Amino acid sequence: QELKNQGKSPKSMPLSIFTKYQEHRAVRLTHLFPAAVWSATIPLQLHPGVRKNCPQVHRMAGYAFFTSSFLLMIGLGLIISRGLMCSRHDFPPLGVPMPDKKFSIASIEIANEELVAISMGLWFTYTALVAVSAARCGDFVRHQQFAVRHIGSGIWVAIHRLLFVDMLSQKWDDPPARVKNNFDNATIASLALCTFIAELVVRRGLLLGRRQHETARTTTSRATAKIAIKKVQ
């Protein structure tokens, strides 16, 4: 209503982006709700004070955090299988035939988006599995590293929404093709940004501090070596 009062109209913005899950209860339960839990528990996973002074809180939040991670991937599978990805549902491209007439621009664009989603989903799951496995083995440096990578591989979605809304707010009457282009650009930018920052944190040991990071790595290596020797014996 405020946009209408200003003489603007978001006519190129498909409302289905916000409403498409209304009739998909399973998606809401396995993707939207776990996403909220996953996001809310991130501070309890990263804050050094919580890890040091409230380890039980950190551990219980970790259970909720990683359980939500795996539920999110079930939800992603439902989104793809039900045709709810943006290129298929919200921004359907024109079905321009290719020269051999066996494929179209539309089918290739849809396939590319779904391939990216599946690839990111696999990386998201892999980083969660490694982080959980490392914690169970007592390798807390590796656990922290892959927890950070895991967060980077998921938090980009929130950054994407902020970038996309900012791009969209610049000109609400852009043609649909340009809106879709902005959506894709925001995806690439947010993925690259979050992946880079996560890897920077891991490589620099920013959560522990450089000296603590090296000390923890040495201590963990010794503990791992002792466990290996005991197994051999």
Side-chain angles (χ1 to χ4, degrees), residues 27-39:
V27 175
R28 296 201 306 272
L29 291 176
T30 60
H31 198 74
L32 300 188
F33 175 70
V37 175
W38 184 85
S39 301

Side-chain angles (χ1 to χ4, degrees), residues 94-222:
L94 297 174
V96 181
M98 297 293 282
D100 58 6
K101 298 184 180 180
K102 293 181 180 179
F103 301 100
S104 68
I105 298 297
S107 64
I108 292 175
E109 187 171 336
I110 290 170
N112 285 343
E113 185 191 40
E114 293 180 350
L115 179 61
V116 169
I118 292 171
S119 300
M120 289 304 301
L122 290 173
W123 175 244
F124 183 84
T125 304
Y126 172 74
T127 53
L129 288 171
V130 174
V132 170
S133 176
R136 290 175 62 87
C137 294
D139 188 346
F140 295 110
V141 171
R142 185 173 174 81
H143 165 70
Q144 185 185 88
Q145 290 174 339
F146 275 86
V148 169
R149 289 182 174 121
H150 178 67
I151 291 169
S153 68
I155 202 66
W156 71 270
V157 177
I159 305 302
H160 169 268
R161 299 300 185 265
L162 295 174
L163 290 177
F164 178 56
V165 169
D166 180 65
M167 290 177 179
L168 192 66
S169 66
Q170 302 301 318
K171 193 174 182 182
W172 284 86
D173 58 351
D174 273 345
R178 184 170 295 174
V179 174
K180 176 60 169 61
N181 186 59
N182 287 341
F183 189 91
D184 292 340
N185 288 340
T187 298
I188 295 170
S190 55
L191 267 172
L193 178 65
C194 291
T195 301
F196 172 77
I197 292 176
E199 201 59 32
L200 180 66
V201 170
V202 168
R203 299 292 179 179
R204 297 286 184 178
L206 297 180
L207 289 181
L208 285 174
R210 191 67 180 176
R211 181 175 298 177
Q212 290 177 306
H213 181 72
E214 294 299 334
T215 301
R217 179 184 290 276
T218 302
T219 303
T220 301
S221 299
R222 290 174 179 172

